[in-house]
Amino acid sequence: MIQKYVFGHPFETEAVVEKVSPCGGSPAYGEITLNDGFRFTYKMEADDIVYGLGEANRGINKRGYLYISNCTDDPNHTENKYSLYGAHNFVIVFGKETFGLFLDYPGTMEFDIGYTRQDELVIRCENADLDFYVIEGETPYEIVKQFRKLIGTSYIPPKFAFGFGQSRWGYKTAEDFRNVVKGYRENHIPMDMLYMDIDYMDHYKDFTVNPEEFPDFKAFVEEMKEQRIHLIPIIDAGVKIEDGYEIYEEGKEKGYFCKREDGSDFVSEVWPGWTHFPDMLNPEARDWFGGKYETLISQGIDGFWNDMNEPAMFSTPEGVARLKEYLKDFLAEEKEAPGFRLGDEVRALANNAEDYKNFYHKVNGESVRHDKVHNLFGFNMTRAAGEAFRKIAPGKRILMFSRSSYIGMHRYGGIWMGDNHSWWSHILLNLKMLPSLNMCGFLYTGADLGGFNSNVTRDLLLRWLALGVFTPLMRDHAALGTRDQECYRFEHVEDFRHVIGVRYRLIPYLYSEYMKAALGNDMLFRPLSFDFPEDSMALQVEDQLLLGNEVMIAPVYTQNAKGRYVYLPEEMKFVKFMPDGSIYQETLEKGHHFVEIALNEVPLFIRKGKNIPVVEQAECVEDIQMDTMKTIGYEDGAYELYDDDGVSTEASLPQRS
Ligand code: GLC
């Protein structure tokens, strides 16, 4: 049961697709006060668990910290951070009382989940203008299913997007791209996608390509397609200010950029230098910007990633002026030791809260200050693309994922988890975010495998890939200046061929489970507690997940470990894909086990009585031979496979076997 309470005059975010009539009175749980903004307080029992918040830091159980919904470009996902790139205001309290809350509010919102007081959940925001949904159900899983219906069906990518992709910030020339494909194909490491980061563009101008490197881009896209590679270019939120650049000229003329209070176009610095932000909240501007994707689609492109759409800002002219003022005083004082303030003042140029108050959107003829609706920008950039795809390529699925998001965006695209590091702890963070994101509708997701920032090591990449084998988005991506991270760069390439090969052996199963989850408003990844709510041990497990209805995953995320401890809430088959192509299977009893897993083995567990399909390894999704399919797991389990053509938007008629 879902109840909706309306406070003040909420901004229409379009997160929700089902109409719920507002009810009067006050919600059955907690206490709400409105005298100083909005404040919800709930007294938690010692054993209550709190789930949700989608893309957020820390655990699956969110208890014990402060989380702030304020889409942020922060490349250091350390434990102390409160905000990441997304804003997903959905939580579930599971305990003596079990209920879900969705707070549809596009500005900054704080979730103090036992941070100030260990026994209190406090949710607050500055303006008491929001839709407050209370969702009741027997279990967290039931609550999620209702919530997912409320917010609409998740995005479905083309099937090739379940293949492996290589990315790196720094690929520039056509030769760079060709070499990566060569590296993979010559070493027979499977691959379907090659990502184009900002350097493919002409001076970082959206929807352009560097004319010197790609004089005939269409032919280049075709050349890659012949090698079964989909090129996936990045699109950034900021439009370069440059006379004669079509998008800039059009946007300026039509008034489609975000404005300052005085009506001038707001300016911010991103990769191209000074840019304007298209007003993604204005339907006309959104339509215009979305239409621009056609420039690349008409050249054969069938996938994109949207970036810097929190929106990220390196600086603004206003910020630079503030800094100059400070520096003038600083230099005049002739201080000997600069102290911390100097560095802080310089760092304050980027993503400064003041700057987010300096520009406006046009919504239904009214001017809306950006900071009030900040968390909707990335959502609407991706929505611009998603809506346009329907017109540009009717009936066809286009790959799309974004960095920033709000609930509702899951209908138009997936997300990747942003700029992580080559740290072991980030394998675990990657794992923990999966179920939380699924709760909020984001099914097509994954992290930069191997880590984006910092230098990778061979063992880290292998272990991370062994988790990536299961995430819908399986992409190796690294930052400029970091150590080479393509799989063929490391010794014993056969190990990488094998681990990524296992992904391809599992694609029929993974795709089938993804589609069932998407079409049924279900989760692909669940905490163990969702299926075993009565098992007090399962409630505490934070490093294993259920995948679909048959599988449990438990990756190794510790350096130099020869295996790991697992908890089995029921008897299961322990399966290892061995480097010689064989599949090891052993029945393990319910309870605790230490399982040995070598660096070049991929483990999974099959739930009691179930089995799953596997096929022979292929080098790209198109080459998967369905007639090599066999099942592993419990012999009498009857797996129902979902399959379709993988490209049409009308999920084509399911062929069940
Ligand atoms: C941002 C993105 C990252 C990308 C870089 C350059 O940091 O998150 O993935 O490589 O920008 O475009």
Side-chain angles (χ1 to χ4, degrees), residues 169 197-198 234 271 305 307-308 403 416 419 448 452 477:
W169 173 16
D197 207 323
I198 46 174
I234 195 169
W271 304 119
W305 44 313
D307 192 22
M308 308 303 277
R403 194 170 71 176
W416 93 100
D419 299 347
D448 289 348
F452 176 72
H477 180 45

Side-chain angles (χ1 to χ4, degrees), residues 424-498:
W424 291 87
S425 60
H426 277 184
I427 302 183
L428 192 53
L429 185 61
N430 176 177
L431 176 116
K432 289 179 185 187
M433 257 192 251
L434 292 166
S436 311
L437 279 166
N438 280 195
M439 292 175 205
C440 300
F442 294 92
L443 296 183
Y444 191 76
T445 184
D448 289 348
L449 301 172
F452 176 72
N453 290 302
S454 307
N455 287 325
V456 73
T457 55
R458 180 177 181 275
D459 55 349
L460 176 75
L461 181 55
L462 276 169
R463 289 300 195 196
W464 210 330
L465 286 167
L467 165 60
V469 158
F470 302 102
T471 60
L473 168 63
M474 185 189 193
R475 181 179 78 146
D476 174 336
H477 180 45
L480 190 68
T482 58
R483 194 176 174 191
D484 289 336
Q485 200 166 299
E486 295 82 12
C487 295
Y488 56 84
R489 305 270 191 181
F490 299 90
E491 70 270 23
H492 291 297
V493 154
E494 65 276 13
D495 289 343
F496 292 89
R497 181 185 312 135
H498 167 62

Side-chain angles (χ1 to χ4, degrees), residues 399-418:
L399 171 59
M400 163 53 68
F401 58 89
S402 168
R403 194 170 71 176
S404 186
S405 61
Y406 184 82
I407 287 173
M409 202 208 81
H410 68 286
R411 301 192 296 270
Y412 301 95
I415 63 152
W416 93 100
M417 296 171 186

Side-chain angles (χ1 to χ4, degrees), residues 201-208 238-251 257 272 289:
M201 294 185 224
D202 177 17
H203 296 90
Y204 309 127
K205 283 180 281 186
D206 277 341
F207 308 110
T208 69
V239 169
K240 183 172 169 61
I241 300 178
E242 186 185 278
D243 288 338
Y245 167 39
E246 183 194 293
I247 313 227
Y248 162 71
E249 296 285 0
E250 277 180 24
F257 294 127
F289 189 80

